[in-house]
Amino acid sequence: MNRDIPGFSLQRMPVYLNYLRSLPDDDAYTYVSSGAIAQALGLGEVLVRKDLAYTGCAGRPKVGYPRAELIAALEQFLCIHDHKGAVLVGAGGLGSALLGYGGFANYGIELVCAFDNDPHKVGGIVGGKPVLSVDSLEAGCMEYGVQLAIIAVPAASAQGIAERLIRAGIRAILNFAPVQITAGEDVKVINIDVAANLAILASML
Ligand code: NAI
């Protein structure tokens, strides 16, 4: 993947892909213009063209992008065809919802298992995935050969879990706990905070 792309452009790539995939499979959508994409997604047309240039798929003047080619270019850009496993730590309310979510497959990602420290949950199946003891976190990550992890434990445990995940070879963490995770430069961390995003929206009203 092109690592020189600005973060915000990278974040929009799955949005473009979702939108293009959602269009009907008929002749009217064989080509899609940057203007149509921009309008549908509430973005500027120039921005859309700049973002899509990173995929290497060229638009044709007055015609637009060949949709199938652009989808393939975005899928390649996002490495969707390289199957990637991910683990989840914390099979509680949020973790269980994520374990049952089928949308990861759209991006070539499979949640392979969860880890938890609640003896009532360990050994169970949630969303079709096994819940393993957090005691086996390192061994499990190495056995599954995963590099992606989701943290959905209480804030107080999140940093410790992150450090164990990193020692076990995890290179990218999606953190839902309301705490900043400190990780080395070679580990990517994205913090998701629904409440903060709602607050941002509220401030725009
Ligand atoms: P929950 O209490 O339902 O689930 C937490 C799970 O983590 C439980 O299954 C518990 O047994 C497990 N756990 C606790 N300590 C552990 C440890 N040291 N090792 C392994 N497992 C451990 O909580 P919920 O509602 O699922 O939230 C999970 C986290 O996500 C919390 O930090 C919460 O604040 C956060 N959250 C974040 C949201 C966001 O927008 N970012 C939205 C909702 C929750």
Side-chain angles (χ1 to χ4, degrees), residues 89-95 115-118 121 134 152-155 157 161 175-178 192-195:
V89 191
L94 178 63
F115 297 96
D116 204 286
N117 69 353
D118 180 344
K121 293 178 181 166
V134 75
V153 296
S157 305
I161 291 294
N175 172 43
F176 282 92
I192 304 286
D193 191 334
V194 176

Side-chain angles (χ1 to χ4, degrees), residues 117-132:
N117 69 353
D118 180 344
H120 296 105
K121 293 178 181 166
V122 171
I125 302 281
V126 175
K129 312 293 178 189
V131 180
L132 311 177

Side-chain angles (χ1 to χ4, degrees), residues 8-163:
F8 286 116
S9 297
L10 181 56
Q11 282 176 29
R12 286 189 288 269
M13 293 303 187
V15 180
Y16 295 130
L17 180 58
N18 259 340
Y19 169 66
L20 293 165
R21 281 173 167 175
S22 75
L23 294 174
D25 270 329
D26 66 47
D27 291 350
Y29 297 99
T30 303
Y31 289 89
V32 188
S33 70
S34 52
I37 297 171
Q39 192 178 12
L41 300 177
L43 300 169
E45 191 176 338
V46 174
L47 182 79
V48 169
R49 276 206 294 272
K50 273 190 188 167
D51 284 349
L52 295 180
Y54 286 104
T55 68
C57 181
R60 295 175 199 166
K62 300 197 176 146
V63 179
Y65 296 89
R67 185 166 70 105
E69 276 178 42
L70 185 54
I71 288 175
L74 283 161
E75 287 177 348
Q76 190 179 11
F77 187 88
L78 292 166
C79 304
I80 276 173
H81 299 299
D82 308 341
H83 174 267
K84 291 174 279 294
V87 297
L88 177 138
V89 191
L94 178 63
S96 297
L98 294 172
L99 287 165
Y101 178 55
F104 297 107
N106 293 334
Y107 299 99
I109 294 167
E110 182 193 1
L111 272 189
V112 292
C113 70
F115 297 96
D116 204 286
N117 69 353
D118 180 344
H120 296 105
K121 293 178 181 166
V122 171
I125 302 281
V126 175
K129 312 293 178 189
V131 180
L132 311 177
S133 167
V134 75
D135 295 343
S136 63
L137 182 70
E138 289 82 354
C141 287
M142 287 180 198
E143 193 177 318
Y144 281 111
V146 291
Q147 293 191 306
L148 282 169
I150 299 175
I151 292 182
V153 296
S157 305
Q159 181 64 38
I161 291 294
E163 288 168 13

